[in-house]
Amino acid sequence: MVKVNDNYLKLPGSYLFSTIGKKVAAFSAANPDKKIIRLGIGDVTQPLAPAIIDALHSAVDEMADAATFKGYAPDLGYEFLRSAIAKNDYADRGCDIAADEIFVSDGAKCDSSNIQEIFSLDNKIAVCDPVYPVYVDSNVMAGRTGTWDPATETWSDVIYMQCTAENNFAPELPKETPDLIYLCFPNNPTGSTITKDQLQVWVDYANRVGAVIIYDAAYEAYISEENVPHTIYECDGARTCAIELRSFSKNAGFTGVRLGFTVVPKELKAGDTYLHGLWARRHGTKYNGAPYIVQKAGEAVYSPEGKAQLKEQVAYYMKNAAVIYEGLKSAGYTVSGGVNAPYIWLKTPDGMSSWEFFDYLLEKGNVVGTPGSGFGPSGEGYFRLTAFGSYENTVEAIERMKKL
Ligand code: MLT
């Protein structure tokens, strides 16, 4: 008789942002007169930049003509996009990444959950706590995380690296040696960053213990400080220990368009096996390539007009981040993040739990945020607000919060 993958049955609750979506929908249905401001999921609100719209239009026109029509995309990505990425995101930063080490996909969420497939189930993962839930959930689905302890809200076979106010929300090297290390900087959810020297410590550590770092740099466009690395390949030795995940969602507003990429350097090995070939095999078998029109839109991100327009878009969201950060600080909240990241991490007031504050803010202020405990046990007592709303809504949300 057919059986399910019972690892799925071990997952507690539903996906964090689905739970929030359901709660907000129920509140909205019960209170149709309330204007809800959503600063929960990190979804963008500004329209695609004109350079990207132009690229989409002309790519659509190409699809209308037999002479320029495109069918299946190359499964690893079109050369024009991989070359633009290699030049702009890596060569221009002094990093040695070739176009054929870049695998174009439909986004970093999928890549961050799929990448674990090329590793043995025996590997032990280390994650920050709090952490973007996809890294842990995808390993649970694969059967790599052991048993769930509802009391501590942790998995028995996962190494949790606590990120708290005491360590500026930056993980310390774990006591137990992991095989796979998930790092995300600028960080989702805390908005924290580490310096290039601090990241170099992780790269040296991974090379020393034979671990692979899965480095999620989805928010690199929001870096404003000089000493914060934009890519892990700025560190010496990263080519032999790191895979990097990147997204067009946050730097270019592609959350609904879908485009991302993963970098797997050719030197990177697990034991005697090169990971580049394994990821290429996985991609080739399970993926038919991001759509041509979307990859053309991605190419426009790197055009001079695209770069200038997106710089303005990032500045728009970072103005929101400053409104949230300064507004809440002046109202007596303890806040961090928001300087190199579009997320503001705040301590819940009056000892409220993260979910209590979620309900309180939704009911009394009609503002939606994300409970810190949804990202892991060390997120309890914290709350995340995103800077991806419109400026007007952000200002209004903070005014409402100040009055609570
Ligand atoms: C978030 O809110 O954490 C992100 O938007 C989720 C994602 O990028 O998938």
Side-chain angles (χ1 to χ4, degrees):
M1 199 176 78
V2 65
K3 297 186 183 71
V4 297
N5 172 355
D6 56 14
N7 293 316
Y8 277 64
L9 307 180
K10 299 178 192 163
L11 286 163
S14 58
Y15 182 56
L16 174 62
F17 294 105
S18 312
T19 307
I20 292 173
K22 279 185 205 130
K23 271 184 168 264
V24 176
F27 180 82
S28 177
N31 301 276
D33 54 317
K34 304 276 193 227
K35 182 189 164 201
I36 298 172
I37 299 180
R38 291 174 168 78
L39 303 182
I41 191 164
D43 195 5
V44 293
T45 52
Q46 294 308 293
L48 294 172
I52 294 165
I53 291 292
D54 287 348
L56 282 167
H57 283 161
S58 69
V60 167
D61 287 344
E62 284 183 70
M63 296 299 259
D65 182 341
T68 48
F69 170 79
K70 305 278 186 301
Y72 288 127
D75 50 15
L76 307 185
Y78 280 101
E79 182 58 34
F80 63 77
L81 180 58
R82 298 170 94 194
S83 298
I85 294 168
K87 178 183 179 314
N88 290 279
D89 285 322
Y90 297 105
D92 288 358
R93 294 199 180 280
C95 303
D96 171 25
I97 294 295
D100 64 358
E101 294 174 314
I102 293 162
F103 298 78
V104 175
S105 73
D106 59 356
K109 181 179 184 180
C110 306
D111 284 354
S112 69
S113 60
N114 290 331
I115 193 74
Q116 50 75 30
E117 270 187 47
I118 63 169
F119 295 96
S120 162
L121 287 183
D122 297 339
N123 286 309
K124 192 138 196 181
I125 67 163
V127 293
C128 292
D129 170 25
V131 69
Y132 178 46
V134 171
Y135 312 151
V136 177
D137 285 4
S138 56
N139 277 283
V140 174
M141 290 167 177
R144 199 178 278 110
T145 55
T147 51
W148 172 247
D149 178 357
T152 58
E153 302 198 334
T154 55
W155 294 93
S156 60
D157 291 351
V158 172
I159 300 169
Y160 291 90
M161 305 180 291
Q162 290 188 339
C163 299
T164 60
E166 285 67 45
N167 57 19
N168 286 322
F169 304 104
E172 285 143 36
L173 295 179
K175 293 194 178 66
E176 186 185 349
T177 307
D179 303 299
L180 281 174
I181 303 166
Y182 287 83
L183 293 179
C184 171
F185 290 109
N187 186 257
N188 179 14
T190 65
S192 66
T193 43
I194 58 175
T195 64
K196 185 173 162 188
D197 288 349
Q198 287 174 304
L199 186 56
Q200 185 66 55
V201 170
W202 282 95
V203 168
D204 294 344
Y205 170 76
N207 276 322
R208 195 166 64 244
V209 302
V212 167
I213 297 174
I214 297 171
Y215 192 73
D216 184 346
Y219 298 94
E220 70 81 27
Y222 292 84
I223 293 171
S224 65
E225 293 180 322
E226 270 300 303
N227 60 353
V228 177
H230 287 252
T231 155
I232 196 166
Y233 302 112
E234 288 179 37
C235 295
D236 294 335
R239 287 184 58 84
T240 52
C241 70
I243 290 173
E244 182 161 285
L245 311 171
R246 294 283 280 262
S247 167
F248 287 77
S249 288
K250 319 291 170 160
N251 64 333
F254 278 38
T255 54
V257 177
R258 308 307 309 152
L259 192 66
F261 63 90
T262 287
V263 179
V264 186
K266 293 205 190 104
E267 284 99 305
L268 182 57
K269 286 205 259 185
D272 293 333
T273 309
Y274 288 100
L275 297 177
H276 184 276
L278 287 195
W279 187 241
R281 186 70 172 84
R282 193 252 170 227
H283 229 58
T285 301
K286 296 198 173 185
Y287 191 57
N288 255 338
Y292 174 71
I293 56 176
V294 173
Q295 294 197 48
K296 286 304 275 185
E299 185 187 29
V301 166
Y302 299 104
S303 68
E305 306 74 37
K307 280 184 188 170
Q309 291 160 7
L310 293 173
K311 203 168 159 201
E312 271 179 40
Q313 202 170 77
V314 166
Y316 174 93
Y317 290 131
M318 286 313 273
K319 193 166 141 200
N320 292 348
V323 166
I324 300 173
Y325 186 97
E326 297 303 335
L328 293 184
K329 205 165 164 208
S330 71
Y333 283 86
T334 304
V335 282
S336 58
V339 175
N340 294 294
Y343 294 126
I344 287 84
W345 190 239
L346 55 120
K347 200 147 180 42
T348 56
D350 306 325
M352 273 189 241
S353 74
S354 301
W355 278 108
E356 279 167 355
F357 187 64
F358 174 89
D359 290 332
Y360 173 78
L361 192 59
L362 180 58
E363 278 158 31
K364 306 281 184 231
N366 310 146
V367 173
V368 181
T370 308
S373 57
F375 298 101
S378 295
E380 182 54 279
Y382 284 89
F383 201 72
R384 192 194 78 176
L385 291 175
T386 160
F388 286 125
S390 70
Y391 179 70
E392 295 71 24
N393 279 348
T394 304
V395 169
E396 189 177 333
I398 298 309
E399 286 312 309
R400 290 186 198 173
M401 285 180 75
K402 282 182 181 169
K403 289 193 193 114
L404 290 178

